[in-house]
Structures are given as structure tokens and as C-alpha cells.
Amino acid sequence: MAEPSLEATGLTKSYGTFTAVSNLNLKIEGRKCVGFLGPNGAGKTTTMKMFTGLISPTQGRALVNGVDVRADKKKALASCATLIETPEIYPALTPRSALMMLSELRGVPKEERMKRIDEALGKVKMQEWEDKKVGSFSKGMKQRVNVASTLLSDPAVIILDEPSTGLDPRGMSEVRDIVKSLGNRLVFMSSHLLGEVTDVCEEVAMIDHGKLLVYDSIDNVTAKFAGDGGAAEIGFSRDADDSVVARVSKLDGLEKAVRTDPRHVTVRFKGGLPTQERLFSQLAGMNVGVVSFRETSTGLEDAYLKLIKETL
Amino acid sequence: MSSIAADGLDVRVSTFSQVQTVAKYSFQNYFRARRFYAMLVIVALIGGLLTFAFAYFRPAGIVQGPALGFYGAGWGSFVTLIAILSAALFGGDAISSEFQNRTGYFLVPNPVRRSAIYVGKWIAALAASVIILVLYAGIVLLNGLYYFPGNVPVQFGESIVFAFVFIVAALAFMFAFSALFKSAAISIMMGVILLLIVFNVIDTVATVLAKIEPWYSITYADGIIANVLMNPFPAHFTPASGKFGIPTYVATIPEGLTIMAVYFVVTAIVGLWLFEKKEFTS
């Protein structure tokens, strides 16, 4: 059986003189999660819309499982579930009836529909609301139903455009867990949350100004572009006065130490993990009331900032 | 078919069955929505007022005259208005709302052709409109049977069929407008204004000033719904009489049906084409 795939060949989308996506060439194949990163207006959603038939390319092709979406959307999306932006559901329908509609459209066998809907609603914790009209739901509740809709037909490919948009922290965490549990299929997920991408994806594609900057594993992208810098927030059990900040700022490898509030100091350092390990040890030995040490920048974040900055 | 179909998924689901699915759930959405009940209230109000007026004033020319006159007054006078309001409420934003309300983002990125969504929604709107028409026909019929027991003119049945043909064409027309605009309010307003006002003004101007038959107008064609309830059926052309008289054209039944059929075909094709081309860009 062929591996699930997404492929953009010369994919371009222009609106008059503005080019949202420019000659994008990208081939993703296999059962894995690929994060799709880029700043606002970079062309992430436009690309995903071309993969799902919401808009048509000006040039080039978007292929899902080897089938051109523009030429035959029905065939291309036969085993592909999508969540683009924050869709609205017909307000007079209930989550159960809305999901039943999609189950029927997607050809889920009749005898399995109820079971799959129950499972999907269970995963997004919406069973309690399954027979209430969607029109009365909050944005987060609707998004949970939207996430459930991607789980119905057991698709080989799932395209998610910022799936945790509109969700509260618990909802975001639950969506992350759901995406993590979607093993054995290809998940292509855009997000502004680099931590989320690091947490759930193995590979990352970065786009800016409609152009693909890099597509590789997160480890490779981090190793290649992140450098050895880092940042962390140190928490104290009591107020950190000037003398404490001064002592911290003199630690070996530290570039900068700034008190962000009476009990927190943010530090920037160079030297990667060895420096981070040494700093942690020294801080513990200073006996100044350090109770936490939280890394605030990840390698992916550094790589992202470096790549995006370089394109400006 | 794709070789990547997941286990247990019937990827051969036909477009016909998808049309049925869209129609079923769109109809459910109509049936549970306020606008459907608003339309029921409008019909109940018109029907109730007519019933009251006939019973209270007992106009001799209507409740004592030939049954055909009664049905002309009760059904012919209001059915076009009800049909236009139904087409506007159920069809006016059927497609534009997919863009404005973002429901299209839920439905369109699925393995379903846009044409299946369009046709399914049109069928749902037709079903909702037919329920409204049948309800009104029922109110008129009950009144008719009260005043003229056992006497239901065959022309009433013909008029109901013509009203059905009109609602088919009017919905196709409304859907085309709905596919043209992204704003639901604008598409509804434009459709209603055109069908209730603009076409009638153009018909009159064409007849009075240009002295040409408004054969291009759906509101000219819908005249057959009421005219079939007149005995005899009005003459196709009546020349102007006197200094200030104006000529009048009346669509014949074949002509009216042909115009409505052409409206249906042309606006259905245009609307489908617009929906196929339109992009979800917001």
C-alpha cells in the first residue's frame, strides 16, 4: 500500500499583484506529523486551502495522495480530513447531526457511524452537548466539534490549520494529545505555537512571504539554524533584590540577566546545553532562594526567528 | 480511486447520495431555524386575515360568485408574494452564507463536489418552500370547501402546479444571486427587490413606453398563476384604448411556463458556475 502523501508542485496563488504563495515545491510522504510554520500572512492557510479545494491555485498543482485536488477534489480528499481556520457549523444542527452529515458524505459505513461519532465526541469531551444546537456554542466548543469531525472517517491524511485556535489551555492540551494519538497517518498541521509543534511533530516546514524556507526534521532544522543560544526564567521563593540579580548576572556564560518581576529573573546565555547545565548547578549552589528554572526558548524557536529574520 | 483509502471507509459514495445527504441536513437546518417558523407565521397571518375577511365582510363577488373567483382572490392574489418570500428566505442566502458565516469551511473541504452541495441545498430550499405553499393552498382550500362545498375548480390545481414551477425558477434565480454575493443580507435584499419591484417596473416601462412584450421577465411569466383562475383567460394582447390608455400583455400558459423553465435552466447554470469558481478567501 502506498504511503499517504501531500505534494505541492510549483504551487502559486496570486491576488492581482500580490502573490500569497510563490512556486511552492514540497513533498511530504509517510506516516508522521509535519508542522507548518510561518508568520501571519506567510501563506500557510492559503497553501492549506489549495490542498483542500477551498481556493484554486493560480499555477501549479496541489496533490493529496497523488491526486490533483483541482482536477478531482472528491477523489483527492477521499481519505483526507481537514480543519481549516475555524469553521462554523450549521447553527440549527446538533454536534451529532453535523457529524452524521459528514459521516454520510465521507462514506463511513452505516453500521459504524454511531460508534465513530460517539468516539470522536468522547475524544473532544463533547458528549454532554451532543444533542444541543451548535448555534448556542462558544467558539471553543465549536472548535472541539470541528476537531471531532476530522476523526470520523479514519483518514490517511489530516490537514489541520491552527487546530487549537479558540480553545482554552485545557482544550489546547487535549487537542495536542489528540494529534499525538493520530499515529499511523500523515498529519500536516500549521500552528503559531512552536512548543505545540515541537511537542507533536517530527518534521517541520517553514514558509515566509509565500516561499518555502526549509523542510526537514525538527532536529536537523534546530541543529542547522538555532545556534547555541538560549533563554530561561529563574524563579525565587522571595524577592530577588539588586544584589541577587548582580550575582546571577556574573555567572559564567551568561549574556544578560533582567528582573521581570520581584520573584523572577530572565537570563540569556550562550553555549547550549552545557552552559545551561552549569548555570542550573551554580544557581542551586548560590543559596539565594531559587525554586525554579524554566527554559523559555526552544531550539525550534531560535531557528524560526533566525530563518524568518533572514528573509526580511 | 485512491489507493490510500483508510480501512472501512466506503470511498465509492456516489454524488447522488451526497446530494441527498446535503439536502437532508440542509432541510433539517431550515426546519429547526427561526426563518422557517417566521414564514409559517406569515402564511398563517395571510391565511387568517383572508379567512376573517371572507367570513366577516362576505364579499358577494367572492363568496357567492363562481368558485373560480373565490380561488382567484384567495390564492391568486397572494401566492406569488408568498413564493417570492419563501424563495428569498430559503434560497437568498443559501450559498452566500457558506462564505459569510464560514459554514463552507465545514462542508466544502470534504470529498464532495461543490455541485452536489449546491444541488442538495437547492432541493432542501425547494422542500421548505413547497411546505409553505402547500400550507397556504390548504388554508385556501378549506375556505373554498366551506363556501363552495364539493366544488374545487380544476384551474386551482393548475395554478398550484404553476406556482410550483415558479418557485422552482425563483429559487434557481435566488441561488444564482446567492452565489454571486458573499454577503447574505445583500443577496437576499437584491433578490427580493428584483423580484418584487425591479422586474415589475421594467415590465411596465417596456409595455407602456417601448410597447414591447416583456417576454424576458419572470414576473411577467408568473402572471399565469393568477390568470389561470380567471374566466376567460385574459387576452394575450390588449391594445391601448383612448388617449391615456396603455397596452397590456399577458403571458399565455405555454409562454409563461417556457419563460420560467428558461429562467430555471439559465440561472441554475450561472449559479453553479459561480459557486464552482468562488473562493473561500476571507
Side-chain angles (χ1 to χ4, degrees):
Chain A
M1 190 174 176
E3 286 290 291
S5 67
L6 286 170
E7 185 176 4
T9 56
L11 197 62
T12 301
K13 183 64 186 178
S14 302
Y15 298 100
T17 56
F18 172 68
T19 302
V21 175
S22 174
N23 193 29
L24 181 74
N25 291 290
L26 173 67
K27 183 165 187 180
I28 302 168
E29 200 169 19
R31 296 167 195 278
K32 57 196 169 190
C33 177
V34 179
F36 195 32
L37 300 176
N40 291 327
K44 300 187 299 294
T45 299
T46 304
T47 303
M48 290 185 147
K49 282 181 177 177
M50 287 190 276
F51 272 118
T52 54
L54 286 167
I55 60 175
S56 296
T58 309
Q59 281 177 14
R61 300 195 306 161
L63 299 100
V64 179
N65 292 326
V67 182
D68 187 341
V69 177
R70 193 180 193 182
D72 192 346
K73 188 186 88 166
K74 190 178 174 187
K75 191 174 173 184
L77 300 186
S79 190
C80 174
T82 67
L83 198 174
I84 304 297
E85 296 189 335
T86 47
E88 288 288 333
I89 301 162
Y90 295 130
L93 294 185
T94 64
R96 180 168 288 283
S97 53
L99 295 180
M100 187 58 85
M101 175 174 69
L102 289 194
S103 299
E104 290 177 27
L105 285 176
R106 301 185 65 83
V108 175
K110 200 172 182 179
E111 61 279 7
E112 286 185 31
R113 286 175 195 157
M114 294 300 270
K115 183 174 150 253
R116 291 203 191 182
I117 290 169
D118 285 340
E119 283 173 2
L121 286 171
K123 275 196 171 181
V124 298
K125 312 265 193 303
M126 286 295 288
Q127 306 105 310
E128 209 180 310
W129 302 86
E130 64 183 30
D131 292 320
K132 302 272 190 289
K133 284 185 185 178
V134 174
S136 62
F137 287 6
S138 69
K139 195 177 173 184
M141 291 163 79
K142 288 177 194 168
Q143 190 69 344
R144 283 172 185 261
V145 181
N146 289 326
V147 171
S149 76
T150 65
L151 309 173
L152 291 173
S153 55
D154 195 18
V157 176
I158 301 182
I159 297 174
L160 302 170
D161 183 22
E162 298 183 25
S164 41
T165 300
L167 297 177
D168 56 31
R170 177 177 285 276
M172 290 165 87
S173 169
E174 286 165 2
V175 165
R176 224 172 286 150
D177 290 340
I178 289 170
V179 177
K180 275 193 213 172
S181 72
L182 295 173
N184 203 33
R185 59 194 97 211
L186 172 57
V187 179
F188 187 47
M189 180 182 83
S190 77
S191 178
H192 283 297
L193 306 171
L194 300 182
E196 183 174 81
V197 170
T198 308
D199 193 22
V200 303
C201 297
E202 297 95 51
E203 295 182 351
V204 65
M206 286 193 201
I207 185 174
D208 193 21
H209 291 89
K211 292 184 173 153
L212 186 70
L213 303 177
V214 66
Y215 167 52
D216 207 335
S217 69
I218 290 179
D219 289 344
N220 286 346
V221 170
T222 304
K224 200 170 172 186
F225 299 101
D228 63 353
E233 185 186 71
I234 303 162
F236 295 85
S237 61
R238 49 188 180 268
D239 288 0
D241 59 24
D242 291 343
S243 65
V244 171
V245 177
R247 282 178 66 192
V248 169
S249 63
K250 284 176 187 158
L251 291 175
D252 199 22
L254 214 66
E255 287 187 317
K256 196 175 179 183
V258 177
R259 187 168 47 211
T260 48
D261 68 54
R263 295 193 178 188
H264 289 95
V265 173
T266 298
V267 295
R268 285 205 68 85
F269 54 88
K270 274 206 160 187
L273 283 175
T275 306
Q276 190 173 330
E277 185 184 350
R278 195 171 59 247
L279 272 176
F280 187 65
S281 169
Q282 289 174 331
L283 281 164
M286 283 170 70
N287 206 20
V288 289
V290 173
V291 290
S292 67
F293 184 92
R294 189 171 62 85
E295 195 180 3
T296 54
S297 102
T298 63
L300 185 61
E301 185 178 336
D302 289 338
Y304 175 90
L305 292 173
K306 191 169 181 187
L307 278 162
I308 300 303
K309 193 177 171 185
E310 283 178 353
T311 65
L312 290 173
Chain B
M1 202 45 72
S2 169
S3 60
I4 311 294
D7 292 342
L9 181 66
D10 181 7
V11 292
R12 294 163 299 174
V13 56
S14 71
T15 297
F16 178 72
S17 92
Q18 289 181 323
V19 168
Q20 285 180 308
T21 299
V22 173
K24 182 171 77 177
Y25 289 96
S26 297
F27 182 74
Q28 272 188 22
N29 191 45
Y30 284 133
F31 198 68
R32 293 172 181 167
R34 265 174 291 188
R35 69 178 65 186
F36 184 78
Y37 295 98
M39 202 59 222
L40 286 180
V41 168
I42 289 172
V43 168
L45 273 176
I46 293 174
L49 283 172
L50 271 179
T51 305
F52 171 77
F54 290 153
Y56 189 77
F57 298 109
R58 302 191 76 82
I62 294 174
V63 299
Q64 290 164 26
L68 201 57
F70 172 85
Y71 285 98
W75 169 259
S77 303
F78 296 98
V79 66
T80 308
L81 173 68
I82 290 169
I84 289 173
L85 289 177
S86 293
L89 282 179
F90 301 130
D93 67 344
I95 302 301
S96 54
S97 65
E98 296 289 338
F99 294 86
Q100 187 183 16
N101 300 339
R102 305 175 62 78
T103 47
Y105 286 83
F106 187 73
L107 194 55
V108 173
N110 280 291
V112 53
R113 295 194 174 93
R114 287 196 186 193
S115 54
I117 296 171
Y118 191 94
V119 174
K121 294 196 75 155
W122 183 86
I123 290 171
L126 180 65
S129 301
V130 165
I131 288 174
I132 298 297
L133 278 186
V134 166
L135 177 69
Y136 186 62
I139 292 171
V140 173
L141 184 64
L142 286 175
N143 274 283
L145 289 173
Y146 176 77
Y147 292 108
F148 304 95
N151 182 6
V152 182
V154 69
Q155 291 94 328
F156 179 52
E158 289 172 353
S159 183
I160 290 173
V161 172
F162 297 160
F164 175 76
V165 176
F166 175 66
I167 198 79
V168 164
L171 272 173
F173 181 82
M174 282 290 183
F175 263 62
F177 263 89
S178 187
L180 183 63
F181 297 103
K182 282 191 177 175
S183 160
I186 289 177
S187 59
I188 291 176
M189 287 303 294
M190 285 295 291
V192 170
I193 289 170
L194 277 170
L195 287 178
L196 279 183
I197 302 169
V198 176
F199 271 115
N200 284 316
V201 170
I202 292 172
D203 293 354
T204 306
V205 168
T207 306
V208 175
L209 298 180
K211 296 186 171 46
I212 57 169
E213 181 188 1
W215 50 265
Y216 44 80
S217 166
I218 190 172
T219 52
Y220 172 65
D222 74 28
I224 64 172
I225 300 169
N227 290 336
V228 74
L229 295 166
M230 297 174 83
N231 192 14
F233 193 92
H236 176 56
F237 176 67
T238 307
S241 60
K243 194 176 176 184
F244 299 106
I246 54 170
T248 54
Y249 287 95
V250 171
T252 63
I253 289 173
E255 188 184 19
L257 290 175
T258 304
I259 293 169
M260 288 193 264
V262 169
Y263 260 83
F264 167 69
V265 172
V266 171
T267 55
I269 291 170
V270 169
L272 263 169
W273 182 81
L274 286 169
F275 186 48
E276 289 282 356
K277 295 289 169 197
K278 205 162 185 176
E279 303 205 318
F280 288 82
T281 50
S282 60

